[in-house]
Amino acid sequence: MMTMGQKIRNKRLERDLTQGELAQLSGVSKSMICYLEKDLRVPTSDKLKRIAKVLRCSMDYICNDKAG
């Protein structure tokens, strides 16, 4: 089972984006992206929506307990 942070990181790497690039494109701070990928924070629904849009995946995919 992948965590939310692992899913965000994997999708970010699939898109060949750095944390800074994802932050800039989604309007979320780079430090928040880092915290999310380490599962140290949970994003607000607004931030999650913007991140999912950049990563071209659904919010449900990121939040769901299943890996795929």
Side-chain angles (χ1 to χ4, degrees), residues 34-49:
C34 182
Y35 290 139
L36 294 174
E37 288 188 1
K38 292 179 179 180
D39 293 303
L40 297 174
R41 297 265 162 63
V42 176
T44 62
S45 60
D46 180 57
K47 288 179 182 172
L48 181 59
K49 184 177 183 178

